[in-house]
Amino acid sequence: MGLKLAVVGGGSTYTPELVDGFARRADRVRIDEIALLDIDPERLAIVGGLAERMLARQGWTGRVVQTTDRDTAIDGADFVLIQLRVGGQRARLGDETMPPRFDLIGQETVGVGGFAKALRTVPVVLELAEAVARRSAPGAWIVDFTNPVGIVTQALADAGHRSIGLCNVAIGFQRRFAARFGVEPERVELEQVGLNHLTWIRAVRVDGVDRLPEILEQDVEELADDVHITPDRLVREQAIPSYYLRYYDDEAGVIAEARTKTTRAEEVMEIEHDLLELYRDPTLDTKPELLEHRGGAFYSEAAAQLIASLTDGRGDIQIVDVRNDGTLPGLADADVVEVPARIDRDGAHPIPQAPLSPTQYDLVSRVKAYERLAIRAAMSGDPTIARAALAANPLAGDPERAGELLEAIFEVNGRWLPRFFPNG
């Protein structure tokens, strides 16, 4: 008998990409039912219709269920993949446009915007996880792709849920380096360590041989441009940082650049509008090219590969967000980190790593302290803890302005924060 996969946020324009990934791995993971859950029935019907046509075209014989009922979706599910967005792109627009009023970075995963998203998201995900524990199949896995992934996965781990966090950044680099060396992606292993959206690639092993020195010698200009740091620094540190490190290193530059651009939320709204119009076409049964511009490159590959390995126990190494448990020295065992892990039927087993550099460790420690306060604030609805979280956030400016920032967050997000505003 095959498995049941529930996709929370099944009306996402990502969903066709996701189901395509699973259909192409039918030899590794047999899924008999995919339940797409969304609160928007019209959008769900459009996205779900395309998903069904794509699966039929590939000869998949399972069943797609479209539902707005949470329990129907998760009942008996073996895997629950979470890709929800509380407040939709409208809330994301607030994450990106409110912080610049205070001369701060506006972004949906870090800084003040990331904090606002965490407040909206963590309680919803934990409530869902409790329902999964009651209603899904014994030993069901929660796979979180919902941003901010590090904070959400930390909250799930702290609550004892059987969960793994997943980001597409690592698999994007893996595919990039595989193409560079002309090898299959499975032959490339990254030593990517840190926290979600705050990582460093310290080795690129192709068939077990570290090719990072060669990459940094021959491709340094291109890489430096992609991650927005100087070539000299790349060579000096012998590590490829996450693109997000720029937010911590060059706040003024990021803010100035953002003022000259359309927000990413506005770009995505336009892309999603056009995608949904394409998805309505009853003859469309393949991924439209426009989907590549939505973001989340290789998302389907990362999710499908993780769930396939959890099912067949292949034991391959993937970059995931899991409890540290001694993997990165200096961080607590309970801290969720983003590291290489061996994936089998029992879960993700992180591979012990060398310590972070002193500079890396200092920043990671400060961000982790903020993340833990953010979770406490989200779950308690306590403004005092929320102010403390903002004061601890390295991208939230002067701690003395935390109260003012919190009021602005409440002004934009109040409707999505019932723990802070229980009476509406």
Side-chain angles (χ1 to χ4, degrees):
M1 182 176 177
L3 304 172
K4 176 178 178 179
L5 170 69
V7 182
V8 180
S12 167
T13 50
Y14 281 135
T15 296
E17 174 108 8
L18 180 68
V19 299
D20 177 70
F22 285 107
R24 287 185 287 102
R25 282 175 174 75
D27 59 325
R28 292 189 58 197
V29 53
R30 178 185 166 190
I31 297 176
D32 285 346
E33 180 178 334
I34 298 176
L36 303 179
L37 169 67
D38 205 278
I39 61 173
D40 184 337
E42 179 182 3
R43 182 172 174 134
L44 179 61
I46 295 168
V47 173
L50 174 59
E52 290 180 350
R53 295 191 298 273
M54 289 175 61
L55 290 169
R57 184 176 188 272
Q58 296 191 46
W60 187 68
T61 58
R63 182 169 75 119
V64 175
V65 175
Q66 301 175 32
T67 182
T68 59
D69 181 72
R70 182 193 69 187
D71 292 347
T72 297
I74 66 175
D75 276 350
D78 300 281
F79 294 94
V80 178
L81 194 149
I82 304 176
Q83 57 178 25
L84 58 83
R85 180 182 290 278
V86 179
Q89 296 297 335
R90 182 179 179 183
R92 178 180 185 168
L93 184 61
D95 296 339
E96 296 180 356
T97 57
M98 184 275 286
R101 287 163 34 195
F102 298 85
D103 293 323
L104 297 171
I105 289 171
Q107 216 276 334
E108 67 157 349
T109 63
V110 299
V112 177
F115 178 59
K117 193 172 196 299
L119 294 183
R120 298 192 303 267
T121 306
V122 167
V124 175
V125 171
L126 288 187
E127 181 181 350
L128 172 67
E130 291 295 332
V132 169
R134 294 193 305 269
R135 307 190 68 102
S136 293
W141 281 102
I142 294 173
V143 176
D144 177 65
F145 199 75
T146 293
N147 278 322
V149 168
I151 293 177
V152 173
T153 307
Q154 183 73 65
L156 286 165
D158 289 347
H161 294 292
R162 190 173 164 90
S163 57
I164 297 175
L166 189 62
C167 180
N168 68 310
V169 170
I171 197 170
F173 272 113
Q174 182 201 41
R175 295 304 199 263
R176 172 179 182 162
F177 295 137
R180 184 197 188 283
F181 292 109
V183 301
E184 297 81 6
E186 293 74 20
R187 292 168 59 186
V188 179
E189 292 181 5
L190 303 182
E191 184 181 305
Q192 178 172 311
V193 297
L195 306 180
N196 179 245
H197 288 183
L198 186 59
T199 53
W200 293 264
I201 296 174
R202 304 188 300 194
V204 179
R205 298 187 181 92
V206 181
D207 296 332
V209 178
D210 184 12
R211 308 292 290 274
L212 181 59
E214 175 184 342
I215 293 169
L216 292 179
E217 179 180 351
Q218 299 179 6
D219 302 347
V220 68
E221 297 287 343
E222 179 184 355
L223 271 173
D225 185 60
D226 288 348
V227 298
H228 294 277
I229 68 171
T230 65
D232 287 347
R233 182 174 173 186
L234 267 181
V235 172
R236 183 172 66 253
E237 297 187 1
Q238 287 293 293
I240 303 170
S242 161
Y243 166 89
Y244 291 85
L245 184 65
R246 183 191 182 205
Y247 296 144
Y248 299 93
D249 281 359
D250 185 21
E251 289 183 65
V254 173
I255 293 168
E257 182 180 295
R259 290 196 175 110
T260 68
K261 292 183 175 181
T262 302
T263 66
R264 179 59 180 163
E266 290 169 309
E267 291 177 356
V268 170
M269 287 181 198
E270 184 175 346
I271 292 169
E272 287 199 333
H273 174 271
D274 293 343
L275 280 172
L276 290 171
E277 287 302 308
L278 291 173
Y279 290 3
R280 290 178 190 272
D281 180 356
T283 66
L284 182 68
D285 59 3
T286 58
K287 294 182 298 181
E289 183 181 353
L290 181 62
L291 184 54
E292 295 179 11
H293 300 280
R294 171 62 181 84
F298 301 113
Y299 160 49
S300 67
E301 294 297 303
Q305 180 175 302
L306 175 61
I307 290 177
S309 295
L310 289 169
T311 301
D312 68 10
R314 176 168 289 189
D316 56 329
I317 295 174
Q318 300 178 32
I319 308 297
V320 291
D321 288 79
V322 290
R323 277 175 51 103
N324 184 43
D325 287 331
T327 304
L328 278 175
L331 296 176
D333 286 348
D335 286 345
V336 165
V337 293
E338 189 166 289
V339 292
R342 193 170 298 281
I343 313 296
D344 61 23
R345 292 185 180 91
D346 295 323
H349 309 280
I351 298 169
Q353 300 292 324
L356 297 168
S357 74
T359 302
Q360 293 166 356
Y361 177 76
D362 175 67
L363 180 55
V364 164
S365 297
R366 287 189 288 134
V367 171
K368 180 53 69 176
Y370 148 69
E371 289 184 350
R372 289 198 166 279
L373 282 168
I375 294 168
R376 287 180 56 200
M379 294 307 297
S380 67
D382 186 333
T384 300
I385 299 175
R387 285 191 292 270
L390 281 168
N393 188 321
L395 293 176
D398 184 353
E400 295 298 322
R401 302 188 71 185
E404 186 181 359
L405 282 173
L406 186 60
E407 288 302 316
I409 289 173
F410 287 163
E411 177 186 349
V412 175
N413 294 273
R415 77 198 77 177
W416 301 301
L417 301 177
R419 303 227 170 186
F420 288 91
F421 302 99
N423 298 320

